[in-house]
Each structure stands twice: as C-alpha cells, then as structure tokens.
C-alpha cells in the first residue's frame, strides 16, 4: 500500500522542501497550492525525481468548503488509501503595526493559518483514527512563541496553532497519532526577502539564516515512526534565537 502525505502551501519555499524530503522518505505527496500552478508542477517534478509520485490539489485552505471538497474528491478517487501525514504549512504575512492594520489583513492571516489548520486537519482525523496511525505537523513560527512587533496577526495565528496542536495531541495520543509544531526562526525563503539579513544575523547566535532543507529534515523526523513518543511539542529551528 502506498503511503500519502499532504503538504499545504507545498508549491515553493519550506513547503516544497518538505514535500521533496518526505518523498525521499517514501511518501507519495499531495501538493496543495492556491494560485501558482507552475511552481506546484516544479515541486511535483522534484518529487518524481526522488522516486515517488503524487497529485496536485488546488484549494484555499481558508475555505472550509473548498478544502473539504478537494479532500473528499481525493478520497473518492483513492478509496483504499488514507493520508497518514499532514503538514500544515500554508500561511501568509500581512505585516503592519496594529494601529494601522486593516481589518481584512487581520482576518485573512488568521483564516489562512489558523482556519486552515482546522479546515485541513479536522476532516482527515477520522481515517487516521480508524487506522490508528498518523502524523500531524504544523508550521508555527518564532513569532508565535514570542510575538513580533508589526506581526500581531501573524503572531496570533501561529500561537493559536501551537495551542490547538497541544490540545489535539492530548485528544488523540492513544490512537497512535502525534501532533507537533515546528517553529522556524529566520529561514531563507520568499517570505524573508527584503529583510535586513545582515542586521538580523547579529542577533542570531549561529550568525546566519536557516535553510528550507534544515526545516524539512526536522519535519521528516516528526513524520517518521521513530518519533512515535514525541507529541504536543514545538521544535524551534532558529539558530539559537531563543524565545
């Protein structure tokens, strides 16, 4: 039987690196994307180079209806299979100080990150519980642990994911399903382009930004059978930028 992992926001950046790393671990990958089909196709090509296959699924994780329709459609096409690894990676930033933050920027960031966590995870829990095996890994952030000025919306969303993951971990631990978060610090991705890297690195003991591959390696461990006693945890990947 093939093994399946779903990576939301899997078309580029950390999501792409995670998708390829899990493919190397033997998973067929379901790549979720919203608008950049070309980037999703590049990720799928890399997955096939790694010797696995998968499927590209277009849906907005912020929409419960779109998400459920896409996941139910996949299940109908694959009635004997189930998604045993979920990586909730989709997220957006709309930074601003709260005094100047438009209401839509607050709502949209929470809808994608925190709403997406629920919309994707909830409908996939029942199959995991029936099979008595699963791995749920969600992308948090240093912002969700310590709060970052100019990111009240992003910090709130990521902190919410952390607390929700801890609660869910307690609910389903007896079903051999683990729920964890990884909290990247400054990682070289599209989302950190434009930041003053030289200045920021002065506060990072490792003296550099991290790579997407370093994040993906931690996700791959948490997705593995070897991580069966690790649940309800947040693993920071931040070069010593302690929170």
């Amino acid at each position: 039987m093939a093994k399946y992992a779903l990576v939301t926001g899997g078309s580029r950046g950390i999501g792409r690196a995670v998708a390829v790393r899990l493919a190397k671990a033997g998973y067929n990958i379901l790549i979720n994307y919203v608008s950049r089909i070309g980037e999703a196709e590049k990720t799928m090509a890399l997955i096939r180079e790694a010797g696995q296959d998968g499927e590209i699924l277009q849906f907005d994780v912020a929409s419960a209806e779109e998400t459920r329709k896409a996941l139910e459609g996949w299940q109908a096409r694959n009635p004997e299979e189930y998604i045993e690894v979920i990586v909730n990676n989709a997220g957006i930033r709309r930074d601003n100080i709260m005094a100047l933050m438009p209401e839509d920027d607050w709502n949209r960031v929470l809808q994608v990150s925190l709403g997406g966590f629920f919309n994707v995870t909830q409908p996939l829990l029942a199959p995991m519980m029936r099979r008595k095996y699963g791995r749920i890994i969600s992308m948090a952030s240093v912002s969700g642990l310590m709060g970052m000025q100019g990111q009240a919306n992003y910090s709130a969303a990521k902190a919410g994911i952390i607390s929700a993951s801890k609660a869910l971990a307690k609910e389903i631990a007896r079903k051999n399903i683990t729920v964890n978060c990884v909290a990247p610090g400054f990682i070289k991705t599209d989302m950190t382009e434009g930041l003053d890297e030289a200045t920021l690195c002065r506060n990072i003991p490792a003296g550099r930004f991290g790579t997407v591959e370093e994040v993906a390696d931690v996700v791959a461990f948490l997705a593995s059978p070897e991580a069966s006693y690790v649940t309800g945890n947040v693993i920071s990947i931040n070069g010593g930028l302690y929170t």
Side-chain angles (χ1 to χ4, degrees):
M1 180 181 291
K3 299 190 301 179
Y4 288 89
L6 168 65
V7 181
T8 68
S11 63
R12 56 199 176 98
I14 290 174
R16 173 180 288 172
V18 167
V20 172
R21 181 64 180 81
L22 290 177
K24 291 177 179 177
Y27 284 93
N28 285 347
I29 309 298
L30 307 180
I31 304 167
N32 155 257
Y33 80 104
V34 176
S35 61
R36 299 190 180 187
I37 181 61
E39 294 300 313
E41 288 173 342
K42 289 178 186 176
T43 302
M44 183 56 71
L46 293 170
I47 288 165
R48 288 173 177 147
E49 285 179 18
Q52 297 300 125
D53 206 344
E55 191 172 337
I56 297 172
L57 302 177
Q58 181 183 23
F59 61 91
D60 181 356
V61 299
S63 167
E65 182 180 357
E66 280 188 34
T67 302
R68 187 172 293 275
K69 183 177 179 181
L71 296 178
E72 287 178 351
W74 179 85
Q75 193 66 72
R77 294 189 300 274
N78 301 272
E80 302 302 318
E81 310 290 354
Y82 85 111
I83 296 168
E84 70 174 57
V85 173
I86 304 168
V87 182
N88 290 302
N89 171 72
I92 61 169
R93 277 177 42 206
R94 291 186 179 175
D95 295 354
N96 210 332
I97 61 171
M98 185 174 280
L100 300 177
M101 183 177 290
E103 182 181 355
D104 183 63
D105 285 1
W106 172 270
N107 290 334
R108 182 61 181 166
V109 169
L110 265 75
Q111 286 164 357
V112 173
S113 289
L114 187 54
F117 167 85
F118 176 83
N119 293 339
V120 171
T121 304
Q122 196 274 341
L124 298 178
L125 287 175
M128 284 186 178
M129 294 171 75
R130 286 196 299 269
R131 305 288 185 116
K132 292 185 171 57
Y133 185 86
R135 298 285 184 263
I136 301 165
I137 303 137
S138 298
M139 208 59 59
S141 169
V142 63
S143 297
L145 290 168
M146 63 184 295
M148 298 287 277
Q149 62 190 45
Q151 288 191 334
N153 48 3
Y154 191 72
S155 297
K158 295 303 187 179
I161 287 174
I162 289 169
S163 292
S165 295
K166 288 177 177 288
L168 180 59
K170 293 177 179 179
E171 294 175 5
I172 57 179
R174 290 184 180 275
K175 296 291 187 179
N176 196 31
I177 304 169
T178 65
V179 189
N180 292 288
C181 296
V182 295
F186 292 102
I187 308 295
K188 279 185 172 291
T189 68
D190 292 350
M191 290 184 77
T192 57
E193 283 183 4
L195 297 180
D196 186 347
E197 186 172 343
T199 299
L200 290 169
C201 282
R202 294 174 191 162
N203 297 316
I204 302 172
R208 64 175 178 85
F209 279 18
T211 69
V212 292
E213 290 79 14
E214 288 170 321
V215 178
D217 283 339
V218 175
V219 173
F221 167 70
L222 292 173
S224 71
E226 288 74 21
S228 61
Y229 204 55
V230 181
T231 195
N233 281 280
V234 183
I235 299 180
S236 294
I237 309 168
N238 59 24
L241 185 66
Y242 292 110
T243 53

